[in-house]
Amino acid sequence: MEYIKTIEKELEPLRTQLNNHKLYSALQSIEDVKIFMEQHVFAVWDFMSLLKALQNQLTTTTLPWVPMANPAIGRFINEIVLGEESDINELGDPKSHYEMYLDAMLQIEASTAQIENFIDAIKTGDSINIAATKSSLQNETRAFIQFTFNVINTNKPHLIASSFTFGREDVIPDMFFQIINQSETKNQSYSKLTYYLQRHIELDGDEHGPLSLKMIEELCGEDETKWNEALEIAKLSLTRRIALWDNIATLISERKLIEA
């Protein structure tokens, strides 16, 4: 637990920067939220690849089946996969959180064309970079995704878990709390987005966040090198998130200047 405390202390400046980001107060209109969602949806999507990478590394996903090396970690990962890939939406229908997010985008008439074109390119076998180019992704959105897959491609569970835990699960409750409280997401027209955000706060704060910290402890053990590597990846993950937020805030500001 001392290692966890050390990492969390080292991450405090970045987490403070993220939690106090100007983007949250910039979400003043439905048009602002549309811009946010049209970029953030790519982070919603690539989160699933981080999760699936952990499932591939830490559970048995090949045939013939053999017992998992660490059933406790395996159970944790499988529980998160269930919650993220097959959750229940506000109507009681099974859907992934990515699909729920797309539904929320459609509700406020945000464009899903870019993410759908990107996913279509992935389905046809294009690489992440080619799909990003075809879909004309923003540079920071593209860099965010590329970083995620660079971490995945290390094939090192403790690094993937660090990005997953400290860059996603551990910060999502605070981050989404800011979005709900500093924007107009309480408006009825945002009901699907509000449900999505509140669902993440509920799952990640109460269940997934604490369990993901235990996963890091299991994977790093007493190996100081692994803990140092985990810290570095955690810092880079938060830095990439801040850069993504910076760019979205700029896009919102630019739209307001054009309309002024």
Side-chain angles (χ1 to χ4, degrees), residues 78-198:
N78 287 332
E79 284 181 351
I80 295 186
V81 170
L82 175 63
E84 296 287 343
E85 194 170 34
S86 307
D87 201 4
I88 302 297
N89 70 6
E90 79 281 6
L91 301 175
D93 300 323
K95 284 198 174 184
S96 68
H97 283 190
Y98 168 75
E99 291 166 311
M100 288 163 58
Y101 200 87
L102 286 185
D103 287 344
M105 292 179 70
L106 292 173
Q107 184 184 45
I108 67 167
E109 298 182 350
S111 175
T112 60
Q114 193 174 46
I115 183 64
E116 288 178 338
N117 289 339
F118 177 82
I119 295 299
D120 286 343
I122 295 295
K123 287 179 178 178
T124 61
D126 286 338
S127 67
I128 297 297
N129 286 335
I130 291 175
T133 299
K134 285 183 176 180
S135 306
S136 302
L137 264 62
Q138 289 279 318
N139 288 338
E140 287 301 339
T141 303
R142 181 175 187 152
F144 187 92
I145 293 172
Q146 286 177 325
F147 172 77
T148 297
F149 280 87
N150 286 342
V151 173
I152 290 171
N153 290 336
T154 66
N155 289 317
K156 294 181 178 180
H158 69 289
L159 299 186
I160 301 171
S162 178
S163 185
F164 177 86
T165 299
F166 299 111
R168 306 291 182 112
E169 294 293 273
D170 202 34
V171 299
I172 281 175
D174 290 341
M175 191 171 66
F176 284 175
F177 180 82
Q178 295 294 336
I179 293 173
I180 285 179
N181 283 275
Q182 294 194 39
S183 72
E184 297 177 353
T185 51
K186 293 179 182 179
N187 186 294
Q188 184 60 36
S189 63
Y190 300 172
S191 61
K192 290 183 181 293
L193 176 59
T194 302
Y195 179 86
Y196 169 88
L197 296 175
Q198 290 177 336

Side-chain angles (χ1 to χ4, degrees), residues 76 170 203-215:
F76 162 63
D170 202 34
L203 287 176
D204 298 330
D206 296 341
E207 301 174 26
H208 296 171
L211 286 172
S212 66
L213 293 175
K214 291 182 180 179
M215 174 178 63

Side-chain angles (χ1 to χ4, degrees), residues 3-4 53-55 57-59 69-70 72-74 76-77 155-166 211-227 229-230:
Y3 285 112
I4 292 289
L54 286 173
Q55 189 178 38
Q57 291 274 352
L58 303 174
T59 72
N70 190 319
I73 290 180
F76 162 63
I77 292 298
N155 289 317
K156 294 181 178 180
H158 69 289
L159 299 186
I160 301 171
S162 178
S163 185
F164 177 86
T165 299
F166 299 111
L211 286 172
S212 66
L213 293 175
K214 291 182 180 179
M215 174 178 63
I216 288 288
E217 288 183 319
E218 290 277 351
L219 291 173
C220 291
E222 297 299 321
D223 190 325
E224 193 164 336
T225 297
K226 286 185 176 181
W227 281 109
E229 291 174 345

